[in-house]
Amino acid sequence: MLTKLGKTDLSIYPLGFGGIPIQRISFEKAKTVILKAKELGINFIDTAQGYSDSEEKIGFAINEDKNYWVLASKSPARDSKEMEKAVTNCLKHFRRDFIDLYQLHLISSIDELQLVLGKNGAMETLLKYKEKGYIKYIGITGHKPQVLKEALDIFPFDTVQAPYNPLETQSEELLKYASLKGVGTIIMKPFAGGALTSPSGCIKYILSKDFVDVVIPGMERVEQVEENFRASLDLKITEEEKMGILQDIHQLKNNFCRRCDYCQPCPQGIKISTVFILHGYLSRYGLKDWATSRYQSLPIPANKCTNCGVCERKCPYELPIRQMLQKSHNDFQK
């Protein structure tokens, strides 16, 4: 059962393939997992420039039937030259002469979007490559629903990608708005970065929403592909799945960052939500080297927290942010 991605002419299965986890498996294992997805009818793959060798592994896996797939990637490049490098490398890695969807990665403010859309901004490259046929459609991704919603009124993006799951529902208004505008909706973080322990329940919850076009759980094992696919066939949530979701939400509600960034700015300059995102990749995804290198590249590490408590007074979820920052830093030092 294929569906259209927004107003595009891309026909996709509603369960897609997220390309983050295949960083930690071999090229041959990645091919086995991706071909299992193809065998079941999954045809949409989403990855990113920043996911180390994910693009290359995808290109290797699909090479024998590359036109079966609808391929999406993304880059945090903000200027035209850096975006040109990203798209050129993506074409080479995918081993194709076009990319179905290329997205601006993690737009976090309207000022950032205006930079991308301005003179010598990344959008110049995307539009040029689209005109030449190297890119079919242009999308946007991020964690801030209000920013993304406003972005859809500033530029005619073809798709929007945001986190959405039973724990993180803050993007629901954005996704409904996008769907009404004919913008394709792509759901990332369906398991809240691995925090939710009922994958099948989450898949059913998400795909039961009429404003969702496709969900892209990260997968690195054949068993994960099969389990997620089974969930996509019957969206009725079982009592066991429902109880698992409710139990997770109860346990996580006071100890899980939703990346709303109400805690910002930190007086010390710590990028609080970024620290917690990277810690999730370390502790739940098992991407130790990838997450650690990105944490170490942050201008201000989490241990620079002075315990002023400003962030906690502003957090709508009353999270123990200071404790969470210290734990994150300590775990990255192990």
Side-chain angles (χ1 to χ4, degrees), residues 156-277:
F157 289 101
D158 297 300
T159 64
V160 62
Q161 182 177 150
Y164 183 72
N165 54 65
L167 179 63
E168 298 177 278
T169 59
Q170 63 269 20
S171 292
E172 188 160 307
E173 183 181 347
L174 158 71
L175 295 166
K176 289 179 178 178
Y177 183 70
S179 184
L180 285 173
K181 288 174 69 73
V183 176
T185 54
I186 304 171
I187 306 304
M188 62 170 156
K189 304 290 189 296
F191 313 141
L196 296 174
T197 58
S198 177
S200 59
C202 292
I203 293 294
K204 293 176 182 181
Y205 174 89
I206 294 165
L207 289 183
S208 67
K209 308 297 183 181
D210 58 7
F211 51 81
V212 169
D213 289 332
V214 62
V215 59
I216 50 168
M219 297 182 279
E220 61 179 318
R221 300 195 308 273
V222 166
E223 295 79 12
Q224 292 171 333
V225 177
E226 293 173 332
E227 179 184 5
N228 292 335
F229 181 74
R230 282 194 300 271
S232 75
L233 296 175
D234 181 1
L235 302 184
K236 184 179 180 180
I237 298 178
T238 66
E239 282 300 315
E240 182 180 358
E241 291 165 340
K242 186 185 298 183
M243 291 305 298
I245 289 172
L246 291 174
Q247 184 175 1
D248 285 340
I249 291 174
H250 177 74
Q251 292 178 347
L252 292 165
K253 66 179 181 180
N254 295 320
N255 196 38
F256 183 81
C257 175
R258 278 80 164 176
R259 301 176 289 275
C260 67
D261 278 348
Y262 286 121
C263 58
Q264 298 292 115
C266 165
Q268 305 307 314
I270 300 170
K271 295 183 177 180
I272 296 171
S273 63
T274 301
V275 170
F276 296 150
I277 290 171

Side-chain angles (χ1 to χ4, degrees), residues 5-69:
L5 182 57
K7 289 182 178 178
T8 74
D9 66 355
L10 302 175
S11 295
I12 58 172
Y13 189 74
L15 176 71
F17 188 102
I20 290 181
I22 60 171
Q23 299 174 74
R24 57 183 173 224
I25 60 177
S26 69
F27 276 73
E28 288 296 339
K29 287 183 178 178
K31 182 175 182 178
T32 298
V33 175
I34 290 172
L35 291 185
K36 170 54 69 172
K38 176 178 181 290
E39 177 187 320
L40 296 175
I42 295 168
N43 69 333
F44 180 76
I45 301 180
D46 176 272
T47 187
Q49 174 194 12
Y51 300 164
S52 64
D53 59 2
S54 178
E55 288 182 344
E56 294 169 274
K57 286 173 177 171
I58 291 165
F60 172 76
I62 70 168
N63 193 46
E64 294 167 12
D65 192 9
K66 62 185 69 177
N67 291 326
Y68 165 83
W69 298 94

